[in-house]
Structures are given as structure tokens and as C-alpha cells.
Amino acid sequence: MSDVYTVDGTILNLIFQNEENGYTVLRLVTTDGEVVTVVGTIPCAAPGESLVVTGQWMTHPVHGEQLQAQQVERYMPTTENDILSYLSSGVIKGVGPATAEKLVQRFGSNTLRILEEEPELLTKIKGITARKAMEIGESYRAQTGMRRLLDFLAVNDLPLYLGLRLYRRYGVGAMDAVRENPYLLVDELYGVDFAVMDEIALSMGVAGDSRRRVEAAVLFELTYNLNNGHVFLPREKLIAAAVQLIDCPADTAEIALDDLIGRGAIRQEPVAKVTACYLSRLHGAETGVTERLERMLRFRSDRCSRVDKIIDQIQKEQGIVYAAAQRRAVELAAQEGVLLLTGGPGTGKTTSVRAIVAMLDKLGCDTLLLAPTGRAAKRLGELCGREAQTIHRCLGMSWREDTGEVTFQKNEKEPLEAGAVIVDEMSMVDLPLMEALLSALRPDCRLIMVGDPDQLPSVGPGNVFSDLIRSGRIPVVALTEIFRQAQSSAIIRAAHAVNAGSLPPLKNLSDSDFFFLRRRDPQTVVDLVVELCRDRLPKNMGVEPQQIQVLCPTRKGAWGTAALNRALQAALNPPAPDKRQKVWGETVFRTGDRVMQIKNNYDVLWVRDDGVTGSAMFNADVGQVEEIDPSGELLTVRFDDKVATYTTDMLSELELAYAVTVHKAQGSEYKAVVLVALPAAPALMVRGVLYTGLTRARELLVVVGDDGALARMAENDRQQRRYSGLRWRLRKGADTQSTGDSRADK
């Protein structure tokens, strides 16, 4: 790790400044008279400001030595020359070089105080009206408000880019909002860890038993548990979690929870035998999904008399005879408003979807093909021979900077112009996305949902696909027969064996597509994975490294994805004179690297190949670093059909992706997979993780690791339980609850 240095001086000039995220390159004249280049997140910087910069020296391949700012203290200019430089920079709306000179000549070193406290005095200068004086004062107060906010963030070691997000939402009152309630920074939009913000809030004088603190703890527990898939928490569990988090009396947490319920921030409702507490937006999502599905379930087509003849015609055209379950799926797709089509690998889901598309075409239905991720949509489109889109893109997703809310262009007021929608990889669809999709469908639009119920559930809250299947309310066609051509694949046989709780035969046959290499030492495993990706699979199997994806249950440890990525990067994309690289913490990003976005970020700007621009990248999106800009320290990353630009402050949300966790690989399919399996945390040693990992491989699967660990995973059918009321609501809607099924889904 490089040494940390501190320099102080005055901003001479700006070389580059990104107004969207505050990333800045500037020249600083130090107190010793030396001119240094500083790079970092310094929003609204202007010549004349004094800075104290703490950071690390980096040698740029083009621009030489630069100080990479980690912490910045900012001070307004005090001398007349520095005030003149500051105001002449245009940082204050309505003040250019000429006006700046008049102001400093009239008010001298007192100029900035006048701008903030007595802007009406500016009318003494010829050419400045009362209205213009007030506008200048307002602009200056906005700047000082931002500065105070940035000072607060810097002193508390919080990311400076949060200043822009706060300012977009609260304007000049941003700092006042933070002072009033420091815990607002724990909100999903800002993402500050509760423990970090709690320490800061207490240092600001917030009392340990203050209402703000206890309410923040309650809300945090509900928000945090969305990441564990829970749509709600039982009241008693929520109270217990908040009490443990901040060590407060239970009755204090009870009072805070009731206050939040009274204000509508939290919705409390009996869900079967559980008193369920929801964040209001999640309650709205769950009830909204239920109501819209109920409406769609009442739809019946009046064009069903020709179905049998049409299916016969499609079979003749495609030269195929559908199995009974496949034919039933096509019939129901024509007749029902909502249909679930399930099945594992090799059971004919693709053939069934093609047949459904053909049927809907002959019925004159305008059909949309959708999937949760870009890779899944691309695969669906290739299999069906027509365009497929991500759900987000189809719905016209956008992000409101002022509120931090995700919005969709397509909704109840402007629904999709489609007679049918087919959604693949439904196990990945979480509750909020399901609500957005259903909100954009006309009541008479058919919805066909396709997926493998044995794969891992969605990353986001809810267990939508499983809840819909188990509700008993929606027609389900389960494809279970493994077709003869699929039976020849050892990958498919292995997946079905694991799904049945058995370990498949670990015999390596020369004509097989599935191989097992027993290794139990972590470093030996890492070395073998590198050898497979760099040498053996390309030379012996004709699979290029870029077509191989390494999967692993865990990120941590000597054989987790972090260690594997370091080794694979060194082997597959080593340093070279023609490759620029960027050091970020313990990670080195290099031109040509495979990388993954690890959380949703609506600030990332992108340009699609067709020229359309937008913002937002999503958790588990995988791309390749195309360029590292030498002047702006920007990373350009290609994600399928679009190119995204990352500034330095966003790099914490990128990871190398030569190896990724099985959870992150959901919805993706790769020509070749190297799956690593050694003993890991109990929550990861489960059948769902192994099954999902195996089924990511399309043509070649190599499992490296411990056969004992594989056997334990295959035997362990323990599933992550999630608090969700969707299944219960759907059953309640049909008045079909029974005593045995009246438990809240967990």
C-alpha cells in the first residue's frame, strides 16, 4: 500500500470536472509554491479555494505525478486576489470576470460575507438590479450550502459524491436536512452503513434514546432484510432486531414502530398467523401484484376453437410432434390469461416456448419476449428467432434524481401495446419488478412465465415464481420428461441427479461434456483452474478463455472468487505496455478485463450501439473494460450492446468477473463452466447452489474440488426461507385457505 501524504494550497485552475458526479482534475499551488495535480471527487471546486488534500501519489502514464485525493478539507478564499479568482471562475451564477472585479473593488475581503448575508447591498454597483442581486445571493448561498455539506462528509470520512445526491433531493437545505436527521444517509439511495452513521449521529449530539435513532433502527432492519429476500418481517422479530442493533428497551422500539405505522412509513397487517410489518412500498407492491393477477386470471380468450388445428399445423410446419405436456402448454397459453411453464434442463422448455410464440402469431397476437437480464434476453431472442428485451428496457425504466425513485414510462396510464408477454428466467424476478411489469400490462394481455423452480430465488425481495406456483391459483404446466437428445448430455443427467438428491457418477469419459477433477487443497484448486482456463480447455477442447466462466459458491477464502480472480487476471490478462490500468484499493482494473457490476447504480451513464443514451447498470451485469482514459481517470466498459462510463468514485461497485459466485450467475448461460466446490459456509452448501451452478453450462462442464463437498450439497435440500405474503394473498383471494396452508411463507 502506498504512503499517505497531505498537501495544502490554493486552486490555480480546473483541468476537468464532471458535474454529474463531481469527479475533478485540478492544479493546486501549494504553500511552498509548488504546482501539483490533484484528482478526486471535489464537487463545485473553483479557482481561489483553499484545499487540504490527503491522498496517495500515483504516476499517470501521460500526465505524470498526481495526488489521488482520499480526503479533502475546503476553505473559502480570504484574500482579495483569491476571492477575485473564485468569483471570476463563473462558479456563482450571474457573476463573470467583470462583475467579480467590481464586487471585489467595492467590498474587498468582505465580498463573500456580503453575498451571503447582505446581497441587497450589491445594488450599489452600477448595473446590478435588486432582482439580480437576490439571484446572485441565492446562487452563492447554494454554493456555500454545498460546501458545508461536503465539509461534513469529508470530516466524517463519507464519500463526497453523496453531496450531489443529497443536493439533488434537498437543494440548499441539504445540510439542514442532515443535521435534523443524520440517519437519512442510511436510506437505500445513499447506502451509508447504519453502524457508521449511528456513530456520526451520536457524535453530533443525537441522544441514544432519541425518536429519530430508534425509528431509523426499525426502518434499517426492514430495508436491510430486503437483501435477504424478505418482503416483510414479523413484528416480534423486527422489534428484537432493532433492540439488538442499538441496545434500546423493547418498549421504546415498540413505540417507535407504532409511530412509523401511524405515519404510513410502515404497514402492519395480519398475514395468516403472523403480524407482518412491511415497508409501505413493499406492501403496495405485494397487494398490487395480487390485485392485478386476480384481474388477469379472470380473462378467457374467445378465440380458442381453432387451437387444436393450429397446433397440428405448427407441428407440421416445424416437423415435430409435441409431447403431451408441451401440447398442453400451448393450449393453455391460448386459453388462459396467466400461465406458468416450469421445467429443468432438457425437458423441452425452449421447444414449448417456440410453439407458444408460433401459436400466438397465428392468433394475431403481438407478443413481447422479456427476461430479467441482458444475457438472458439475448439467449431467449436467439432461441426464438426474434427480438427479446430486458424487462427494465421494455418498461422504459428511468431514475428520478430528486427523489431517488425508480420510475417506468410504461404503466397503467401508458400500458404496453402487446397482446401477450412471455417472461423467461422467472425465478430471478423479484417483487418490485413483478409489480412494475404487471402495472404495464393491459387486463386482456396474456402473461406466460417460464422458469426453473429449482434454481436459486431472486436476489431482490420476494419469492415470486415459487409463490405463484405454490398458490394453486395459476395454471401450471410442469415439464418433467427428459427428452432423448438431452439424455445424451452428462451435464443434464448430472443436474437432474443432483435435483433428486444424488451425486451423479463422477467418471470422466472422453466423449462426455462433464468432467470431475478431484482436488482438496485450496491452492492446488486455484492453480488447476488457472491451468484449465489458460491452457487445457483452449488447447484440448477448443474453448477460448473468453468463453469459459469460472463459478464458485463463495467470494471469501483461499479458493473464493476474489482469490480466483487475482490468479486468473494474472494469467489471462497480464500487464503489458499497451494496456492501461487503474489501481483501486486491492483491485487492479486493466484494459481487457472481464468485470461485473455488483449493485444497482442509477448514476452510471451509457450509450447504446444505436445511439440511445441513458443511465443505470444493474447487479450482476457483466462487461469488459474497453478503455481507461488517461486524462479523466474514466473507465469505459462494454456491456453487450452498450458502453458505460465509470468515474473513479464508482469503482467500488465493479469487480473482476473471471470468476463469479453462483448467485451472481443466475440467468446466464456459458459455453463452458469451471465450477469450484470445496467445503464452505453452511448456507452455501446446499442443493440449490450446486444445481444452479451445474445448469449454467451449455456445452462443457468441469467440476474441480472435493467430491465429499459435492455429495453434501446434493443431499442438503435446505432452502432459504423468505417472509412473503404473496402466496397467502392469492389463496385468500380464492377462499381456498386450509389449516395446513395458513402459515405465512417463510
Side-chain angles (χ1 to χ4, degrees):
M1 185 68 71
S2 302
D3 293 333
V4 175
Y5 296 87
T6 298
V7 300
D8 59 282
T10 303
I11 299 176
L12 179 64
N13 65 305
L14 300 181
I15 300 171
F16 171 82
Q17 187 163 61
N18 186 320
E19 293 183 1
E20 289 292 324
N21 53 45
Y23 184 80
T24 302
V25 182
L26 59 84
R27 296 203 187 282
L28 191 75
V29 181
T30 71
T31 52
D32 297 329
E34 183 183 1
V35 178
V36 300
T37 301
V38 176
V39 297
T41 304
I42 315 173
C44 307
E49 278 193 77
S50 296
L51 304 182
V52 178
V53 182
T54 301
Q56 296 177 345
W57 288 107
M58 303 290 183
T59 301
H60 195 280
V62 176
H63 301 285
E65 267 200 326
Q66 298 179 337
L67 185 63
Q68 181 78 49
Q70 297 172 336
Q71 184 174 336
V72 181
E73 297 176 32
R74 304 173 62 169
Y75 302 93
M76 291 300 287
T78 55
T79 69
E80 291 187 10
N81 283 339
D82 288 345
I83 292 173
L84 180 60
S85 295
Y86 177 76
L87 294 177
S88 297
S89 68
V91 70
I92 306 300
K93 185 178 179 181
V95 178
T99 303
E101 190 166 352
K102 292 178 183 178
L103 288 170
V104 175
Q105 283 178 353
R106 181 62 186 260
F107 301 112
S109 59
N110 210 26
T111 301
L112 298 184
R113 186 194 66 77
I114 296 294
L115 292 180
E116 182 171 14
E117 299 175 6
E118 300 178 275
E120 64 276 6
L121 296 181
L122 302 187
T123 55
K124 294 181 178 181
I125 297 174
K126 187 177 180 180
I128 298 183
T129 64
R131 179 178 177 180
K132 184 176 182 182
M134 291 301 105
E135 289 175 351
I136 291 173
E138 179 99 8
S139 177
Y140 180 73
R141 282 192 293 273
Q143 287 293 323
T144 55
M146 173 62 86
R147 286 179 49 79
R148 290 178 183 128
L149 184 60
L150 295 174
D151 289 343
F152 168 82
L153 296 173
V155 167
N156 290 288
D157 293 324
L158 295 174
L160 294 183
Y161 65 80
L162 293 178
L164 287 174
R165 294 186 183 177
L166 286 162
Y167 201 81
R168 286 170 185 159
R169 188 163 190 173
Y170 297 102
V172 295
M175 190 63 238
D176 292 335
V178 172
R179 284 197 191 97
E180 182 183 354
N181 181 19
Y183 294 99
L184 65 84
L185 283 165
V186 180
D187 186 272
E188 290 175 280
L189 175 61
Y190 312 109
V192 178
D193 182 79
F194 182 88
V196 171
M197 205 61 233
D198 192 40
E199 184 177 348
I200 294 171
L202 293 173
S203 72
M204 294 170 66
V206 175
D209 61 351
S210 76
R211 179 176 59 85
R212 289 282 192 198
R213 183 174 188 242
V214 183
E215 288 185 356
V218 173
L219 290 169
F220 170 76
E221 287 297 343
L222 283 177
T223 303
Y224 175 80
N225 276 285
L226 298 179
N227 299 321
N228 295 325
H230 300 306
V231 179
F232 69 82
L233 288 181
R235 182 181 173 100
E236 68 278 6
K237 289 185 180 292
L238 175 57
I239 294 296
V243 166
Q244 184 176 10
L245 181 66
I246 60 172
D247 191 22
C248 71
D251 59 349
T252 302
E254 293 267 9
I255 293 169
L257 174 56
D258 288 336
D259 285 346
L260 288 165
I261 293 169
R263 298 203 306 271
I266 291 176
R267 295 292 299 272
Q268 180 175 288
E269 179 184 2
V271 175
K273 296 180 179 180
V274 173
T275 302
C277 293
Y278 295 79
L279 291 170
S280 287
R281 62 184 176 86
L282 270 299
H283 183 270
E286 191 172 271
T287 55
V289 166
T290 305
E291 292 165 2
R292 291 180 177 91
L293 283 172
E294 292 283 1
R295 189 166 63 228
M296 294 177 72
L297 285 169
R298 292 193 287 269
F299 169 79
R300 288 292 185 276
S301 172
D302 59 358
R303 297 173 291 183
C304 300
S305 58
R306 299 184 291 131
V307 169
D308 282 340
K309 291 182 179 179
I310 293 175
I311 293 176
D312 291 340
Q313 182 182 352
I314 295 171
Q315 287 184 135
K316 185 176 181 181
E317 291 171 355
Q318 295 184 351
I320 191 173
V321 176
Y322 301 130
Q326 291 177 314
R327 186 176 184 111
R328 180 62 176 158
V330 182
E331 291 172 351
L332 289 177
Q335 297 167 354
E336 300 288 344
V338 188
L339 174 67
L340 297 166
L341 176 61
T342 74
T347 58
K349 286 202 306 292
T350 298
T351 299
S352 301
V353 170
R354 286 193 190 118
I356 290 171
V357 170
M359 162 64 76
L360 295 172
D361 283 347
K362 291 186 181 297
L363 291 176
C365 227
D366 185 9
T367 304
L368 287 174
L369 302 181
L370 305 179
T373 67
R375 286 175 175 259
K378 183 178 180 181
R379 188 177 73 250
L380 176 63
E382 290 171 349
L383 293 173
C384 293
R386 63 173 65 192
E387 182 189 10
Q389 305 175 67
T390 64
I391 301 173
H392 296 90
R393 179 179 172 185
C394 180
L395 298 182
M397 191 216 76
S398 60
W399 183 59
R400 288 188 58 183
E401 293 182 348
D402 56 339
T403 63
E405 295 176 350
V406 175
T407 62
F408 296 92
Q409 180 184 349
K410 296 297 181 181
N411 48 44
E412 286 181 324
K413 294 180 180 178
E414 188 181 344
L416 293 167
E417 295 298 326
V421 169
I422 299 175
V423 183
D424 197 12
E425 296 289 352
M426 262 301 298
S427 63
M428 296 184 66
V429 176
D430 63 20
L431 183 66
L433 186 58
M434 186 67 176
E435 181 203 21
L437 175 62
L438 292 178
S439 297
L441 301 186
R442 301 194 309 250
D444 62 346
C445 178
R446 294 177 174 86
L447 177 61
I448 297 100
M449 294 170 280
V450 184
D452 186 340
D454 296 309
Q455 285 188 29
L456 294 169
S458 61
V459 174
N463 206 0
V464 174
F465 195 41
S466 177
D467 283 350
L468 297 182
I469 294 169
R470 294 184 299 150
S471 72
R473 294 292 316 286
I474 298 172
V476 180
V477 176
L479 304 176
T480 56
E481 178 187 353
I482 305 176
F483 288 91
R484 184 177 303 171
Q485 60 269 32
Q487 291 176 356
S488 63
S489 167
I491 297 174
I492 291 177
R493 295 198 304 272
H496 285 278
V498 165
N499 210 23
S502 302
L503 190 63
L506 301 177
K507 297 178 181 179
N508 295 330
L509 304 176
S510 59
D511 60 346
S512 179
D513 56 2
F514 172 38
F515 298 90
F516 172 67
L517 302 176
R518 183 182 291 105
R519 301 290 190 278
R520 290 175 175 156
D521 173 67
Q523 188 55 53
T524 304
V525 165
V526 172
D527 293 342
L528 178 56
V529 170
V530 169
E531 184 184 349
L532 286 166
C533 295
R534 181 187 58 200
D535 305 318
R536 289 170 62 169
L537 296 185
K539 292 177 183 177
N540 300 333
M541 308 297 290
V543 182
E544 295 303 314
Q546 61 268 26
Q547 298 174 314
I548 305 167
Q549 182 62 61
V550 178
L551 302 181
C552 181
T554 181
R555 293 185 71 255
K556 302 176 181 179
W559 59 280
T561 57
L564 286 164
N565 272 315
R566 287 192 294 271
L568 288 165
Q569 182 193 42
L572 301 178
N573 191 30
D578 62 337
K579 293 180 182 177
R580 293 185 182 129
Q581 63 183 40
K582 173 70 178 173
V583 178
W584 180 254
E586 297 182 357
T587 302
V588 177
F589 294 103
R590 188 173 295 133
T591 305
D593 276 336
R594 190 186 307 172
V595 293
M596 172 181 282
Q597 175 77 25
I598 59 171
K599 64 181 291 189
N600 292 349
N601 186 330
Y602 303 100
D603 287 334
V604 182
L605 304 176
W606 50 257
V607 179
R608 214 162 56 213
D609 292 342
D610 59 7
V612 174
T613 61
S615 65
M617 297 304 302
F618 297 97
N619 188 7
D621 285 345
V622 175
Q624 185 177 38
V625 178
E626 283 195 338
E627 184 180 355
I628 300 177
D629 179 57
S631 59
E633 298 289 344
L634 306 176
L635 266 72
T636 303
V637 183
R638 169 164 288 280
F639 294 92
D640 294 324
D641 65 341
K642 58 179 175 279
V643 174
T645 301
Y646 286 78
T647 54
T648 301
D649 59 286
M650 297 175 177
L651 295 186
S652 60
E653 298 175 2
L654 278 182
E655 285 184 353
L656 297 176
Y658 299 98
V660 302
T661 63
V662 174
H663 284 81
K664 295 287 189 183
Q666 284 178 268
S668 295
E669 189 178 77
Y670 312 97
K671 182 174 183 178
V673 165
V674 176
L675 177 63
V676 180
L678 289 173
L684 300 173
M685 301 299 290
V686 295
R687 185 183 301 170
V689 171
L690 179 57
Y691 176 78
T692 301
L694 297 177
T695 54
R696 300 308 90 203
R698 185 171 68 248
E699 297 181 18
L700 177 65
L701 172 66
V702 181
V703 179
V704 179
D706 184 344
D707 50 342
L710 291 171
R712 289 193 294 276
M713 293 175 80
E715 292 168 2
N716 185 2
D717 194 27
R718 184 177 66 84
Q719 298 180 8
Q720 180 188 13
R721 295 189 171 187
R722 298 183 168 199
Y723 288 108
S724 163
L726 181 59
R727 177 176 69 150
W728 176 80
R729 291 181 193 280
L730 287 168
R731 287 184 172 183
K732 180 185 176 185
D735 294 320
T736 57
Q737 274 184 265
S738 66
T739 303
D741 289 322
S742 63
R743 300 183 306 274
D745 296 340
K746 298 196 304 180

